[in-house]
């Protein structure tokens, strides 16, 4: 009877084997399904992070103002002819960047006539030509600022400049001329950030050079006529190290913005130095009033309004996104269009090309020669053709410059009509521009000469300012 037992054992073994094979196969198939599911979940989480810039938390909806990849990154495919970010501005259109499309792309609001009228009503002053002519064309939350101002809740101004060289051109003055007007009509304090650290990180310059440029540029800024009792100008290299409150805000911002977010907003890549990646927090910090305890006495709720060129908006989209998460009000913004290069509105002027713009140090003769030689003309090739068909002011740089600097609306309108009809020749148009810019630059140079080292020191010393909130 040994045999049957062996046979039974064998059968038992085979049955057990079948059972295990079946069990293990099922387990393996099941495991594969779990793997697929885990992969899928992981992908969903990384997609979520990619889109929102934040880690996924179960049961937590994404924040309202999600800063995502197509919020202003250089290549979003909506309008390929325009490229606008803090370091590059270019377009293939001779009339310049399409600002209406930019408003849609950046998600800001257009400055409508209604808003300009409201500013006039609230301040009791004729709106600045930059507002009348749509040179400041876009905003964020300006109505809220005015609502509060009407209820006696004041605000402060913040603007800045990256000091990349000693030479400033007329285009650089646009935000400062406008900010000076805002300071006057609203009677409010102003902080001006000179990002010498930004220029050190982005350009091939030494720290000492960048800091020196900051002080030199401060003189041109002061020459715009700011009130020393209401204005604080600071170099990042100086102020960051001396103000614990400022640095605390920088770090707070750094903690609440991910690498994904800045990558999406600014287009940083893996080979950008970490200084660039964290810099946006430094440009964001002055938007919060407690970064300046000497001015606001530690208050963190004073509303900030930032006049700037539209290419700076990415910094402030990021700022507005973090503000409520760290318990601060979002800064409001007023955006300007770009000042065109002499060669045409396709590009912003470059401080490194002497012929691309009128510099604040140019002599009357240089101004005349540059305009006559380099200002792109919308006129016709011959006088006969010009008289017959007229010129095109929309692409004519001399005419564009006049819209920035000639204050008389009626005179400007007449020039436009006459140029379009052919009654006014290109040479005559250029002459009007030359005669507008020469005294303007000469006066600037005169005011800059009055700015002593002592004055600069006064403006750049952290101190209380004179105002009521
Ligand atoms: N990044 C700006 C530039 O390169 C300088 C800047 C700093 C600025 N803070 C600002 C400009 C606030 C406008 C508003 O010119």
């Amino acid at each position: 009877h040994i045999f049957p037992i062996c046979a039974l054992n064998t059968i038992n073994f085979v049955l057990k084997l079948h059972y295990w094979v079946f069990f293990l196969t099922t387990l393996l198939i099941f495991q594969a399904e779990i793997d697929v599911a885990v992969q899928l979940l992981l992908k969903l989480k990384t997609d979520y992070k990619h889109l929102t810039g934040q880690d996924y938390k179960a049961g937590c909806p994404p924040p309202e103002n999600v800063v995502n990849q197509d919020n202003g990154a250089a290549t979003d495919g909506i309008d390929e002819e325009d490229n606008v970010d803090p370091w590059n501005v270019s377009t293939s259109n001779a009339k310049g960047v399409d600002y209406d499309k930019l408003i849609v792309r950046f998600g800001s609001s257009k400055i409508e006539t209604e808003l300009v009228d409201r500013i006039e009503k609230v301040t009791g002053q004729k709106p600045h030509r930059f507002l009348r002519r749509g040179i400041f064309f876009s905003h964020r939350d300006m109505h809220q600022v005015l609502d509060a101002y009407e209820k006696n809740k004041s605000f402060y101004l913040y603007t800045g400049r990256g000091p990349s060289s000693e030479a400033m051109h007329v285009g650089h003055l646009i935000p400062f001329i406008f900010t000076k007007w805002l300071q006057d009509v609203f009677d409010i304090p102003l902080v001006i950030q000179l990002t010498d650290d930004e220029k050190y990180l982005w350009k091939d310059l030494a720290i000492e050079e960048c800091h020196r440029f900051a002080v030199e540029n401060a003189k041109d800024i002061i020459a715009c006529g700011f009130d020393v009792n209401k204005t604080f100008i600071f170099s990042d290299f100086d102020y960051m190290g001396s103000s614990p409150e400022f640095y605390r805000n920088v770090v707070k911002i750094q903690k609440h913005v991910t690498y994904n977010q800045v990558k999406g907003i600014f287009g940083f890549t893996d080979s950008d130095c970490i200084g660039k990646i964290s810099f946006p927090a430094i440009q964001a910090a002055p938007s919060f009033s407690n970064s300046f305890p000497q001015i606001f006495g530690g208050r963190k709720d004073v509303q900030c309004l930032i006049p700037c060129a539209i290419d700076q908006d990415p910094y402030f989209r990021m700022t507005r996104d973090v503000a409520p998460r760290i318990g601060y009000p979002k800064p409001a913004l007023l955006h300007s269009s770009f000042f065109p290069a002499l060669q045409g509105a396709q590009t912003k002027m470059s401080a490194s090309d002497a012929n691309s713009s009128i510099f604040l140090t140019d002599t009357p003769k240089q101004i005349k020669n540059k305009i006559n030689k380099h200002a792109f003309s919308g006129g016709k090739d011959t006088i006969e053709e010009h008289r017959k068909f007229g010129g095109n002011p929309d692409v004519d740089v001399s005419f564009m410059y006049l819209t920035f600097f000639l204050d008389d609306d009626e005179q400007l309108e007449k020039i436009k009509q006459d140029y379009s009809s052919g009654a006014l020749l290109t040479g005559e148009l250029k002459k009007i521009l030359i005669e507008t810019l020469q005294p303007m630059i000469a006066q600037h140079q005169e005011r800059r000469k009055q700015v002593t080292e002592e004055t600069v020191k006064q403006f750049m010393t952290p101190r209380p300012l004179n105002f009521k909130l």
Side-chain angles (χ1 to χ4, degrees), residues 252-418:
K252 248 190 205 175
I253 298 157
Q254 286 173 344
K255 182 167 174 171
H256 290 82
V257 182
T258 65
Y259 177 49
N260 250 296
Q261 277 177 305
V262 289
K263 218 163 56 170
I265 301 169
F266 300 97
F268 294 142
T269 68
D270 287 357
S271 49
D272 278 309
C273 70
I274 58 173
K276 287 187 186 179
I277 291 152
S278 58
F279 173 76
I282 300 173
Q283 182 153 336
S287 316
F288 306 128
S289 58
N290 61 349
S291 294
F292 306 98
Q294 71 280 13
I295 303 176
F296 302 105
R299 274 181 64 177
K300 60 171 192 175
D301 62 339
V302 186
Q303 168 76 51
C304 173
L305 171 66
I306 308 171
C308 63
I310 185 84
D311 62 336
Q312 298 298 307
D313 187 66
Y315 285 114
F316 302 118
R317 280 202 295 271
M318 185 202 85
T319 310
R320 287 168 55 87
D321 184 62
V322 284
R325 285 188 280 131
I326 55 178
Y328 298 149
K330 291 182 181 189
L333 287 140
L334 288 169
H335 298 122
S336 75
S337 57
F338 304 114
F339 192 73
L342 277 174
Q343 284 74 9
Q346 276 98 335
T347 54
K348 198 166 83 155
M349 295 198 297
S350 146
S352 49
D353 178 358
N355 285 326
S356 74
S357 46
I358 306 296
F359 283 82
L360 301 178
T361 47
D362 283 350
T363 62
K365 202 167 153 206
Q366 281 173 315
I367 295 172
K368 182 176 166 201
N369 287 343
K370 275 190 197 178
I371 293 172
N372 281 335
K373 245 203 199 138
H374 300 290
F376 182 81
S377 168
K380 298 287 179 293
D381 289 343
T382 64
I383 293 188
E384 293 71 40
E385 268 183 69
H386 189 88
R387 292 273 187 234
K388 197 164 159 198
F389 302 109
N392 180 1
D394 290 342
V395 300
D396 192 289
V397 172
S398 301
F399 182 76
M400 290 182 201
Y401 278 26
L402 283 173
T403 64
F404 280 85
F405 295 115
L406 188 73
D407 199 47
D408 187 328
D409 291 337
E410 271 173 40
Q411 196 190 347
L412 187 74
E413 185 52 34
K414 176 145 178 23
I415 291 168
K416 187 174 185 178
Q417 297 302 330
D418 289 352

Side-chain angles (χ1 to χ4, degrees), residues 86-87 158-163 172 175-176 192-195 198-199 236 279 282-284 286 306-309 311-312 315-316 333 348:
W87 307 281
Y158 158 41
T159 190
R161 156 153 180 85
H172 290 138
F176 295 108
I192 300 177
Q193 179 180 46
L194 300 172
T195 52
E198 178 189 19
K199 292 302 147 183
D236 281 346
F279 173 76
I282 300 173
Q283 182 153 336
I306 308 171
C308 63
D311 62 336
Q312 298 298 307
Y315 285 114
F316 302 118
L333 287 140
K348 198 166 83 155

